[in-house]
Each structure stands twice: as C-alpha cells, then as structure tokens.
C-alpha cells in the first residue's frame, strides 16, 4: 500500500498526542511522521510505533514533503499555517473552528457525511467538527433519516480534557489541594472546577450564548445538510477527565418509538446502544474513555410533545470527538482520493 508523509501539528497537546496514538493503533500507512509544535517543545519527543520521534518547531517551511497535515494547534495558528501547508501540496485536516463554517470547506463526520470529503479539492482543507457536535450527529443522523428531526434541545456535561492538557492538570491539582486542605489554584477556568459544574465553555457572545453552544447549533445543520433543524444548546464543564456526556431531547416530524430508535441505532456505524435501566446499564464517561464508539442509552419518549424522544449520548471527546474522527477522514482521503 502507498505510504504518506504525515505531519501532526500541535503534537504535544491533548488532541495531538491522541492523533499520534491513533495513527499507530489504526496502522495508518505513514511513510514518515513529522511532529510539530511551538518553540517551547523543542527537545521533546513522542513515541510512535516504538520509536522516539523528535518534536520540531512549526515554521513556514515545515510542509515541504508533507502529504497530510493533522492540525490541532489552536485556531489562530491553523488560520496562518493551514494555507501555507496547502500551498506546499499538503491536504489539511483541521481540528480547530477556524474553517468549519467556510461554505467551501467540508465539515466531516465520516459516519454522517463521508461524501463531503471530496470537497477538500476546493481549498485543500477538511474541517473536523467540535467534539460535542460529533458525538451528537453520529446518533442523530440515522434517526433524522427515518423520522425527520424538527428540533433538538441539548445540554452537555463536558470533560476538562476538552480544554487541553493544562486543564487536565488543573483538575488534578485542585482535587489534591482540596483533599490536603490547601488553597486551590485557578489558571484555566474562572472558577473552581473540582467538585463543581461551570455553565461556561469558550467565550460568551453578546446574546448570552457561549461560543461552544453556537458551534453545536451551526455545525449540526452543516454536517446534517439541513438548515431546517432547529437546535438549542447549553454547554457545561464538569469535573470529569475524559468523556463528554449529553442529554439530548429530539422532536421529530413523524412518530419514532424508543424501540424503533434502539433498533436503528444498533445498526448505525460507530454507535453502541447501552440501554437497560433495569440493570443500571446506560452510557458512562468512564466507560467511553479510550473507546472509539459513541454510546447512547436512556432512550425514552418525551411525553410532553407528539413525536419526541430523550436520550443520553456519551463519547471520548479526545478520540471520536477529535483525533479518531480526523484519522478516519485521513483514511478515506488515502483510500479514495490521494
Ligand atoms: P493543548 O493540549 O493545549 O495543546 C495545544 C497544542 O498546540 C500543543 O501541541 C502546542 O504546542 C501547540 N501550539 C500552541 N501554540 C502553537 C504555535 N504558536 N505553534 C505551534 N504549535 C502551537 O490543546 P488541545 O486540547 O490539544 O487543543 C488544541 C486545539 O485543538 C484547540 O485549540 C482546538 O482548536 C482544537 N480542539 C478541537 C477539539 C474538537 O472538538 N475537535 C477538541 C479539543 C481541541 P506546545 O506544547 O509546544 O505549546
Ligand atoms: O471544550 C471542549 O470540550 C471542546 C473544546 C474545543 C475547542 C477548544 C479551544 C478552541 C475548540 C473547538 O474545537 O471548537 C477551539 C476552537 O478551535 O475554536
């Protein structure tokens, strides 16, 4: 099989680290792996397939022989360096929000809209959606195909790993400090995250919504290719390390019973149904962490409207929510287009 020169941009971060692990686990046909981060990481290495690979500083000349760039260095850095990579003949799969809503750039979850990958030819870039959106649309797509979704009301319970490696450290340190009766430090979040819930993810917009909430609204419509779906979201940070959970209320045009939904979801790619309340079986963040699937359970009728269902959706935000989804896109690119 043909091999590809792959660069991971932001390799030392929570997402970048997982990208390197995912490339190895899925045996992606890598000819040469280049790991890029900021000047702060010069001298560091990451292990890939048993070898220590050095971290290089991301520079304008970093992309000379690179075929595929997996980017997660933050929006401003992607905005600057993705076009430079493309000008060097590299296809960029970008994990930031920098290009997601560009109408010429595909926003892809392979289980939902794999066909959009071909639009990478427009600008050489494919955008990876926000983690909270990805796990929701993987479950909603087969239900939408069957009964047409009118409206979605979602509340999220998001792990600190979504904010990056510094936030993982902050939760660990706060728990230790509280346990040892010491004052806590707050550097990443405005309030204590240990033993707390913060209804605040990303910055606030003038209308009172958090940006994360509007990402879920806008990205869902683009990926599902249906602007008529109404979505409203409340996004909340919780003291969990890995795994985003979501309470999702869906109103359909046609009737869909919980049993019919479960049957469809059992056949849906990338979805596992865990739904046996009598045995205390429902999706849990601690079970989803490190797994590839998106888990759904607690499927039940919303008795307050004619055609409504409630459900609970959980996935590893760093894997399916970021690194795995990006590598799945790279797999389709490699198999069909490059
Ligand atoms: P992180 O743990 O803080 O890591 C940030 C990474 O970006 C590090 O590798 C860092 O390198 C690198 N970086 C920062 N500034 C850079 C620069 N000027 N030049 C080159 N590299 C630079 O954050 P993360 O959680 O991995 O997230 C990174 C980005 O991925 C986020 O900003 C977001 O846009 C995106 N993301 C997307 C999702 C999703 O939902 N799909 C989820 C999480 C994150 P150093 O170690 O050298 O500083
Ligand atoms: O907070 C989370 O759980 C997911 C965070 C994602 C994120 C963090 C910083 C910047 C993003 C994103 O992917 O939307 C961004 C961004 O690129 O805007």
């Amino acid at each position: 099989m043909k091999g590809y020169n792959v660069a991971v941009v932001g390799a030392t971060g929570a997402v970048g680290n997982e990208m390197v692990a995912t490339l190895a686990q899925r045996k992606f046909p890598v000819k040469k792996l280049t790991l890029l981060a900021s000047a702060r990481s010069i001298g560091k290495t990451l292990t890939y397939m048993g070898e220590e690979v050095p971290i290089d500083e991301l520079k304008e000349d970093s992309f000379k022989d690179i075929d595929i760039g997996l980017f997660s260095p933050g929006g401003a850095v992607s905005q600057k360096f993705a076009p430079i990579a493309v000008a060097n003949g590299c296809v960029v799969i970008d994990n930031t929000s920098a290009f997601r809503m560009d109408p010429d750039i595909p926003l892809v979850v392979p289980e939902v809209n794999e066909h959009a990958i071909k639009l990478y030819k427009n600008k050489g870039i494919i955008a990876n959606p926000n983690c909270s959106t990805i796990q929701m649309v993987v479950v909603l797509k087969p239900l939408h195909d069957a009964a047409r979704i009118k409206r979605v009301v979602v509340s999220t319970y998001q792990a600190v790993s979504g904010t990056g490696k510094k936030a993982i450290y902050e939760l660990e340190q706060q728990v230790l400090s509280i346990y040892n009766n010491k004052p806590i430090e707050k550097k990443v979040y405005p309030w204590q995250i240990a033993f707390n819930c913060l209804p605040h993810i990303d910055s606030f917009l003038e209308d009172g919504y958090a940006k994360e909430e509007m990402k879920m609204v806008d990205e869902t419509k683009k990926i599902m290719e249906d602007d008529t779906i109404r979505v409203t979201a409340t996004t909340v940070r919780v003291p969990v390390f890995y795994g985003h959970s979501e309470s999702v209320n869906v109103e359909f045009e046609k009737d869909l019973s919980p049993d019919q939904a479960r049957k469809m979801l059992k056949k849906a790619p990338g979805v596992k149904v865990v739904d046996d309340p009598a045995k205390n079986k429902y999706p849990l963040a601690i079970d989803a962490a490190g797994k590839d699937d998106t888990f759904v359970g607690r499927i039940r009728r919303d008795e307050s409207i004619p055609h409504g269902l409630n459900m609970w959706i959980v996935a590893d935000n760093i894997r399916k929510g970021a690194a795995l989804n990006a590598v799945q896109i790279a797999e389709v690119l490699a198999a069909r287009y490059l």
Side-chain angles (χ1 to χ4, degrees), residues 135-168:
Q135 67 183 66
M136 186 169 80
V137 296
V138 165
V139 172
L140 292 188
K141 179 64 165 71
L143 305 181
H144 184 51
D145 289 344
R148 309 304 298 172
I149 293 173
K150 284 166 77 173
R151 180 167 185 252
V152 178
V153 182
V154 52
S155 299
T156 68
Y157 305 67
Q158 296 184 218
V160 295
S161 52
T163 322
K165 58 189 174 185
K166 290 194 180 118
I168 298 171

Side-chain angles (χ1 to χ4, degrees), residues 107-114 128-146 149 152 154 216 219-225 229 231 244 246 248 250 252 256 261-273 291-297 299 311-317 319-322 324-326 328-329:
L107 181 65
V108 176
V109 178
E111 293 86 345
V112 178
N113 63 339
E114 188 188 297
N128 202 69
N130 178 271
C131 42
S132 303
T133 312
I134 292 177
Q135 67 183 66
M136 186 169 80
V137 296
V138 165
V139 172
L140 292 188
K141 179 64 165 71
L143 305 181
H144 184 51
D145 289 344
I149 293 173
V152 178
V154 52
M216 292 192 79
E219 294 177 18
T220 298
K221 294 176 189 198
K222 179 165 176 179
I223 300 161
M224 306 267 278
E225 296 169 351
I229 301 174
V231 183
H244 286 0
E246 298 177 345
V248 183
V250 193
F252 296 93
L256 189 66
R262 272 188 287 269
K263 223 181 237 168
M264 272 165 211
L265 291 169
K266 276 182 189 158
K267 287 190 261 164
V271 175
K272 274 237 155 65
V273 177
K291 306 266 172 53
D292 287 353
D293 284 317
T294 296
F295 299 85
V296 59
I299 301 172
M311 62 196 76
W312 179 248
I313 301 173
V314 183
D316 185 323
N317 52 301
R319 267 186 97 74
K320 183 56 190 166
L324 170 64
N325 197 70
Q328 286 176 304
I329 294 170

